[in-house]
Amino acid sequence: MVVTSPRTRAPRARRPYPGTREINEQSELGAVYMRTLIRAQRRLGLSVCLVATGALALLPLLFAIEPELGRFRILGLGLPWFLLCVATCPMLLLAGWFYVRQAERSEREFAELVERP
């Protein structure tokens, strides 16, 4: 025997109006929604910039600590020049790709939160 409440089949109570309306009407709740999205985007942008600039800033430190690395040659270029001219482009492209992917994910989650009944 299965015992269930008769309310299990009742439709869920909906919000009086969706979060998008809160944002459009610029209510306090809509402002909280937008601040949350902006804060998440800012945090993501700053963290990607920090990692990319940190990786580039470590190169001079690496060659100052271990000067023997500067004598290696790759494709006719010294290792420092190779890393600065050739290896940084893919790293920056990867950082940009990661940022766009994470920003789109954040926006999708925001849209789901706002449009959720």
Side-chain angles (χ1 to χ4, degrees):
M1 173 186 293
V2 177
V3 179
T4 60
S5 170
R7 295 283 300 161
T8 57
R9 294 201 169 116
R12 288 185 165 182
R14 296 180 60 84
R15 272 198 242 172
Y17 43 87
T20 53
R21 185 169 169 191
E22 294 281 350
I23 294 170
N24 290 338
E25 291 177 356
Q26 297 180 351
S27 69
E28 187 62 35
L29 181 59
V32 169
Y33 281 148
M34 291 307 298
R35 276 195 306 267
T36 303
L37 176 64
I38 290 169
R39 191 175 300 130
Q41 295 285 3
R42 184 182 309 128
R43 190 177 326 116
L44 174 64
L46 288 175
S47 62
V48 169
C49 284
L50 183 65
V51 168
T53 56
L56 289 175
L58 285 177
L59 288 177
L61 181 63
L62 174 70
F63 290 112
I65 291 172
E66 193 61 47
E68 291 295 318
L69 290 175
R71 294 194 177 103
F72 288 114
R73 299 190 76 70
I74 299 175
L75 300 175
L77 290 172
L79 184 61
W81 284 106
F82 179 79
L83 290 176
L84 285 174
C85 298
V86 178
T88 56
C89 291
M91 184 199 69
L92 292 175
L93 285 173
L94 183 66
W97 172 80
F98 177 78
Y99 173 78
V100 169
R101 190 171 161 92
Q102 294 300 316
E104 288 174 349
R105 191 192 87 201
S106 176
E107 289 172 3
R108 256 191 325 273
E109 290 173 357
F110 176 76
E112 290 172 2
L113 173 72
V114 170
E115 295 170 357
R116 181 175 38 185

